[in-house]
Amino acid sequence: RCCNMWAPEFHLLEGPDGPHWYFYYTAGTAGTLDNQHTHVLESAGTDPMGPYTYKGRLYDPLHDTWAIDGSVMKLNDALYFLFSAFEGPQSLFIAPMSNPWTISGPRVKISVPEYSWEATVNEGPVALFHDDDVFITYSASPCSGPDYKLGMLTYNGGDPLSPDSWVKNPEPVFQRSDENGVFAPGHHGFFHSPDGTEDWIVYHANDSASGGCDHGRTTRVQKFTWNEDGTPNFGEPVSTIEEIAAPSGDAGVDPLPEFEPFIQFASYSRQGSYLRNVETFVQIGSGGVVDAKFVIVPGLADPDAVSIICINLPSYYLRHEGNALYFQFNDGSEAFAGDATWQITPGLADNTWISIESYNQPGMYIGRQFGVIALVELTDTSPFAALEDATFREEN
């Protein structure tokens, strides 16, 4: 479960020893999307900030297959797991749960792509409740194209584990708006305004019809209403340049906080190349892409030094472990703080550039060893090529 992490959801649920936050997510192995499964973490108490422990992988023992976009639905005091998997085309499934981290019975398919607007994909199921009505909204069509959109199932009573208890809406309920410049709106969630008077949808979408399932997508929120028949009316996706009122009861922050500009680290020895993260590994590659952009913050171990955060992996810091370099989640430990703190020094090969020296291992610099980016011990007498590999330029 090292890689390809997506579809995070937090649910406050009753565990065997009281309420906890449960964090559901999809993850797999590096280099392929063929090993994706759903996993869950449990908070120590009721603080959503944790700490968390890993509870396990959620799966139906009779169908231990690729399964993504897990979500939990609580209906009639029972828990059900909603997810997407392949059985023919990519379809939606429901399964009973004996606790927040265990599927306790066979999965049941409740939706398969059947309309042209669904193409071959049903994924991202999320339960939505209103008065006595229950819905499951889901994403349809491949996320790689502009027509990723939302469909909806309506619960008609009876056993939630029966496919006959769910009726599919024949038309999508939320889709692209060329006029507003919003494409592929999908994979979503819901929340109430702070005062409880409004319902809001959160989703991701692209600004261009050429966008796909990548870091170009952005998160959006907007208010929605309800039709006279009790079904949700999500309206049309709102343009990102349109100003909308904050959720009712949200005092907001005024003025908005100032965010530090991102930094790129251009390589002295390899023209046109930059430090970047690939998964959680540090490599040298092309610049201008999101995984080559970082934010510099006061050092975790010393505010007079610096720490370096990925902008595409928030809360992941550049850290060394021995001579290896990674981007890792801050676990709050003193050891992590030291390993993730750096000194910016004049460039070893050119003092108009910079070098990046370890805070807790002075004399060790980010450079190259055996052809890969690593923490390298360097002095003025080191080979000049090694000093060049440890020299960078900060660019905005």
Side-chain angles (χ1 to χ4, degrees), residues 206-377:
N206 285 311
D207 290 329
S208 167
S210 62
C213 304
D214 55 29
H215 298 303
R217 297 181 296 188
T218 56
T219 306
R220 296 106 184 282
V221 298
Q222 64 188 71
K223 184 171 65 174
F224 70 92
T225 59
W226 299 90
N227 298 313
E228 290 186 1
D229 64 358
T231 57
N233 185 341
F234 298 119
E236 193 171 11
V238 175
S239 167
T240 55
I241 65 173
E242 179 180 340
E243 291 189 5
I244 61 175
S248 181
D250 185 349
V253 178
D254 189 19
L256 289 173
E258 293 185 6
F259 295 95
E260 294 293 331
F262 68 79
I263 293 291
Q264 296 188 107
F265 295 101
S267 170
Y268 184 90
S269 61
R270 294 174 178 264
Q271 188 174 1
S273 295
Y274 295 76
L275 283 181
R276 62 185 297 187
N277 70 287
V278 178
E279 302 291 355
T280 57
F281 301 99
V282 183
Q283 294 185 12
I284 287 284
S286 58
V289 293
V290 70
D291 55 17
K293 299 176 181 179
F294 310 98
V295 174
I296 305 299
V297 299
L300 294 176
D302 183 344
D304 292 330
V306 303
S307 288
I308 301 170
I309 304 175
C310 301
I311 68 168
N312 66 324
L313 293 172
S315 298
Y316 276 64
Y317 290 75
L318 176 59
R319 178 196 188 180
H320 70 82
E321 283 188 310
N323 291 83
L325 295 170
Y326 303 96
F327 290 97
Q328 293 185 348
F329 183 79
N330 181 9
D331 62 12
S333 68
E334 186 175 333
F336 185 97
D339 292 345
T341 301
W342 305 89
Q343 300 280 8
I344 302 297
T345 70
L348 294 174
D350 183 335
N351 62 14
T352 65
W353 291 48
I354 66 158
S355 289
I356 307 171
E357 182 182 17
S358 169
Y359 175 81
N360 59 1
Q361 293 193 40
M364 303 287 286
Y365 293 83
I366 294 178
R368 292 177 66 85
Q369 193 168 53
F370 305 118
V372 299
I373 296 296
L375 198 63
V376 183
E377 185 174 9

Side-chain angles (χ1 to χ4, degrees), residues 27-365:
T29 55
T32 179
L33 298 178
D34 293 339
N35 298 320
Q36 296 298 97
H37 294 281
T38 50
H39 303 264
V40 61
L41 310 178
E42 180 188 62
S43 67
T46 55
D47 183 352
M49 297 303 291
Y52 284 83
T53 56
Y54 180 71
K55 296 300 290 185
R57 181 165 62 85
L58 292 98
Y59 63 97
D60 171 3
L62 298 178
H63 301 90
D64 186 8
T65 62
W66 187 93
I68 67 168
D69 297 353
S71 185
V72 173
M73 177 178 69
K74 185 176 181 181
L75 181 59
N76 299 326
D77 295 322
L79 292 181
Y80 300 91
F81 196 61
L82 308 174
F83 61 99
S84 177
F86 283 102
E87 190 174 279
Q90 191 178 338
S91 303
L92 301 183
F93 293 83
I94 187 172
M97 305 180 77
S98 56
N99 58 46
W101 62 87
T102 306
I103 289 177
S104 58
R107 71 184 192 182
V108 176
K109 183 163 58 177
I110 57 173
S111 179
V112 62
E114 57 186 292
Y115 296 109
S116 60
W117 54 267
E118 296 178 287
T120 59
V121 174
N122 280 185
E123 63 184 17
V126 178
L128 175 62
F129 300 85
H130 180 63
D131 296 332
D132 294 328
D133 295 322
V134 182
F135 308 94
I136 293 176
T137 50
Y138 62 95
S139 300
S141 188
C143 65
S144 56
D147 292 310
Y148 199 52
K149 58 176 70 70
L150 298 188
M152 186 174 74
L153 307 177
T154 301
Y155 178 57
N156 64 10
D159 182 2
L161 295 172
S162 170
D164 294 335
S165 296
W166 301 96
V167 179
K168 181 178 292 188
N169 201 65
E171 300 293 336
V173 294
F174 195 58
Q175 57 188 321
R176 64 188 278 180
S177 171
D178 292 47
E179 180 181 358
N180 292 339
V182 181
F183 301 90
H187 209 154
H188 58 299
F190 303 106
F191 64 94
H192 296 296
S193 60
D195 64 7
T197 64
E198 296 173 346
D199 294 295
W200 286 67
I201 182 172
V202 54
Y203 60 97
H204 61 55
N206 285 311
D207 290 329
S208 167
S210 62
C213 304
D214 55 29
H215 298 303
R217 297 181 296 188
T218 56
T219 306
R220 296 106 184 282
V221 298
Q222 64 188 71
K223 184 171 65 174
F224 70 92
T225 59
W226 299 90
N227 298 313
E228 290 186 1
D229 64 358
T231 57
N233 185 341
F234 298 119
E236 193 171 11
V238 175
S239 167
T240 55
I241 65 173
E242 179 180 340
E243 291 189 5
I244 61 175
S248 181
D250 185 349
V253 178
D254 189 19
L256 289 173
E258 293 185 6
F259 295 95
E260 294 293 331
F262 68 79
I263 293 291
Q264 296 188 107
F265 295 101
S267 170
Y268 184 90
S269 61
R270 294 174 178 264
Q271 188 174 1
S273 295
Y274 295 76
L275 283 181
R276 62 185 297 187
N277 70 287
V278 178
E279 302 291 355
T280 57
F281 301 99
V282 183
Q283 294 185 12
I284 287 284
S286 58
V289 293
V290 70
D291 55 17
K293 299 176 181 179
F294 310 98
V295 174
I296 305 299
V297 299
L300 294 176
D302 183 344
D304 292 330
V306 303
S307 288
I308 301 170
I309 304 175
C310 301
I311 68 168
N312 66 324
L313 293 172
S315 298
Y316 276 64
Y317 290 75
L318 176 59
R319 178 196 188 180
H320 70 82
E321 283 188 310
N323 291 83
L325 295 170
Y326 303 96
F327 290 97
Q328 293 185 348
F329 183 79
N330 181 9
D331 62 12
S333 68
E334 186 175 333
F336 185 97
D339 292 345
T341 301
W342 305 89
Q343 300 280 8
I344 302 297
T345 70
L348 294 174
D350 183 335
N351 62 14
T352 65
W353 291 48
I354 66 158
S355 289
I356 307 171
E357 182 182 17
S358 169
Y359 175 81
N360 59 1
Q361 293 193 40
M364 303 287 286
Y365 293 83

